[in-house]
Amino acid sequence: MALEASIDHRNHAPPYTANGAATASPEVALPPSRVLATHRLRLNPSSNHNPDSYDDLALEFTPHLFSSLERYLPPNMLSMSRDSKLQYMRDILVRYSPDGERTRLQKHREYRQKIISNYQPRHRQLYTMQAVNFFGPSFLQAINENTEEGFRRIISEPIPGIYTFDMFQPRFCEMLLSEVDNFERWVHETKFKIMRPNTMNKFGAVLDDFGLDTMLDKLMNDFIRPMSKVLFPEVGGSTLDSHHGFVVEYGMNRDVELGFHVDDSEVTLNVCLGKEFTGGELFFRGVRCDNHVNSETQPEEILDYSHVPGRAVLHRGRHRHGARATTSGWRVNLLLWCRSSVFRELKKYQKDCSSWCAECQREKKERQRLSIVATKQELLKREGTSTS
């Protein structure tokens, strides 16, 4: 049975439904009561489809949302006009997005527009993806090769599910640090009240809010998703379609440490930008689903990781972790929370998370072990009865 298209209101990105073609022409205006029954999306994206751009339109949802969603349209719609596709997708989004959520999104767009209209960037080359100038040669070679062998060649895996590799050139780290410093100076001088990255960090900035969203979106689509497709297929690594990009700052007069937590992401990219510091190690303690997030840590799940500027850590968002105190200097990290609307929709209907939750895996193995023991006992009992 096809699932109904819906919106994940917590993350402002559309989860998608099982494959089902529309039963009415998209050009026909349907009453709201019929949108639910007729407007359906495919479970798997059309990987070869090149979606339209919606950046030139004033929409109540972000333009990228429509470009991402377009890949999941029924096959008969992909060749239709942009206006037809837009109306079809908008009907779904409006039908499942409450008025309060649309109001919140509109206010956030106005907030971003106010920043972008007044803030003057220092390094405009940061705002477009210049791969040759941003990334190290080994990382670029692996991305261009786009094979599991190529990715495995550049990464280290100190414990299962934690991948580290050299990623950014020093010049990119310096420019991004300079841009963040310039933005924070503008915020201070104009007394503009900004939103911080999350509820855990009192310092840092959301990079998407001052114009770097397009660059970060390309970073996710063209560089992180190919790796995640290979490394994290069980948590939607191949269907990452939205992100939250920000920097966090630790040190004197900044955040000092970060408590034990999981991220609101399927895959997290964490790259140290610098500068000089001591302490601040990341500590990892195993992957858990919601039901087991507070369960005990097994010895093989323990990892402490020391940051190196330009070097990335890639892990599942549900991999429990925290940051130890930065004891001296100043540390700044780039975080990219990558999300999959497909995975989030399907997860609602999954009772077994053993493909990625370590505790679920242990429970499943224990059930299997007990089942085997019980079967053996029953067979021995029958054999004894038969002999008698």
Side-chain angles (χ1 to χ4, degrees):
M1 182 177 71
L3 308 176
E4 296 169 352
S6 60
I7 297 294
D8 186 331
H9 307 306
R10 298 167 299 171
N11 304 289
H12 328 305
Y16 308 116
T17 69
N19 190 7
T23 56
S25 170
E27 285 83 0
V28 177
L30 297 172
S33 61
R34 291 190 59 199
V35 171
L36 175 62
T38 61
H39 283 45
R40 299 297 176 95
L41 300 172
R42 305 177 67 221
L43 174 61
N44 298 311
S46 302
S47 57
N48 296 326
H49 176 66
N50 185 25
D52 283 314
S53 171
Y54 299 86
D55 292 337
D56 59 320
L57 302 178
L59 303 168
E60 61 268 66
F61 302 96
T62 61
H64 171 67
L65 184 57
F66 289 96
S67 295
S68 177
L69 191 62
E70 187 178 314
R71 296 179 185 273
Y72 295 84
L73 289 175
N76 64 305
M77 291 210 62
L78 296 179
S79 60
M80 291 187 177
S81 68
R82 185 177 74 161
D83 289 343
S84 297
K85 291 183 288 190
L86 176 65
Q87 184 59 48
Y88 188 94
M89 293 184 288
R90 186 182 177 281
D91 284 344
I92 292 175
L93 294 171
V94 170
R95 175 65 178 81
Y96 289 96
S97 181
D99 291 339
E101 178 69 2
R102 294 203 297 273
T103 300
R104 191 201 65 78
L105 290 173
Q106 179 60 33
K107 288 182 178 179
H108 196 192
R109 275 193 299 275
E110 293 171 356
Y111 161 81
R112 283 189 175 184
Q113 189 56 49
K114 188 173 182 179
I115 293 177
I116 294 171
S117 299
N118 293 278
Y119 172 67
Q120 296 299 316
R122 173 178 290 178
H123 301 287
R124 291 192 178 276
Q125 59 266 49
L126 281 174
Y127 292 74
T128 57
M129 176 53 69
Q130 301 180 12
V132 175
N133 297 325
F134 286 7
F135 303 113
S138 63
F139 178 74
L140 274 181
Q141 182 179 348
I143 292 296
N144 290 331
E145 186 177 328
N146 196 20
T147 63
E148 180 171 0
E149 181 183 359
F151 294 137
R152 297 283 180 185
R153 191 165 54 244
I154 67 166
I155 63 177
S156 298
E157 189 178 7
I159 63 171
I162 301 295
Y163 302 98
T164 69
F165 49 93
D166 292 328
M167 186 175 188
F168 288 129
Q169 295 184 22
R171 176 56 180 155
F172 171 82
C173 297
E174 293 169 2
M175 282 197 300
L176 188 51
L177 285 170
S178 175
E179 191 67 41
V180 171
D181 182 65
N182 188 59
F183 175 69
E184 292 185 336
R185 186 179 295 110
W186 174 82
V187 168
H188 177 73
E189 291 173 353
T190 60
K191 295 180 170 57
F192 191 92
K193 187 175 180 180
I194 64 169
M195 299 178 187
R196 293 303 178 181
N198 52 60
T199 58
M200 298 177 289
N201 292 98
K202 297 180 181 179
F203 296 88
V206 179
L207 301 179
D208 299 311
D209 287 345
F210 60 96
L212 285 165
D213 52 322
T214 300
M215 184 272 283
L216 293 176
D217 199 51
K218 193 167 182 63
L219 171 61
M220 179 190 71
N221 289 331
D222 296 352
F223 299 90
I224 302 306
R225 189 162 61 198
M227 297 186 74
S228 299
K229 180 179 180 180
V230 171
L231 303 175
F232 306 112
E234 70 288 340
V235 292
S238 64
T239 58
L240 301 176
D241 55 14
S242 66
H243 75 267
H244 175 50
F246 56 96
V247 292
V248 291
E249 303 174 33
Y250 297 90
M252 187 69 68
N253 300 321
R254 292 290 189 271
D255 291 318
V256 176
E257 59 187 2
L258 188 62
F260 196 49
H261 67 284
V262 295
D263 296 338
D264 185 9
S265 68
E266 274 59 74
V267 176
T268 293
L269 173 72
N270 185 339
V271 190
C272 181
L273 301 175
K275 302 182 179 179
E276 297 292 331
F277 60 89
T278 57
E281 298 87 357
L282 286 178
F283 59 94
F284 292 93
R285 298 295 184 264
V287 183
R288 298 292 189 274
C289 64
D290 289 337
N291 294 331
H292 297 118
V293 70
N294 294 316
S295 61
E296 293 184 4
T297 300
Q298 304 301 314
E300 66 272 14
E301 296 176 319
I302 296 175
L303 172 68
D304 286 4
Y305 170 80
S306 297
H307 290 287
V308 176
R311 190 165 178 83
V313 182
L314 196 67
H315 61 85
R316 295 173 184 84
R318 299 296 307 188
H319 208 131
R320 302 180 299 176
H321 62 284
R324 303 196 186 283
T326 298
T327 52
S328 69
W330 182 37
R331 177 171 67 85
V332 183
N333 281 52
L334 165 66
L335 276 298
L336 191 68
W337 288 357
C338 303
R339 297 158 174 165
S340 166
S341 299
V342 175
F343 176 75
R344 293 187 177 212
E345 179 68 5
L346 294 178
K347 193 169 70 170
K348 297 176 184 177
Y349 308 95
Q350 291 178 343
K351 295 182 180 180
D352 180 11
C353 300
S354 60
S355 64
W356 55 273
C357 172
E359 195 63 29
C360 285
Q361 290 174 7
R362 278 187 281 274
E363 290 183 353
K364 184 176 182 179
K365 288 179 181 178
E366 180 62 15
R367 289 195 300 270
Q368 291 173 340
R369 186 188 70 81
L370 293 175
S371 177
I372 292 172
V373 170
T375 300
K376 286 182 177 179
Q377 290 176 343
E378 180 64 24
L379 291 173
L380 290 173
K381 182 179 178 181
R382 291 179 182 179
E383 184 177 342
T385 301
S386 176
T387 302
S388 300

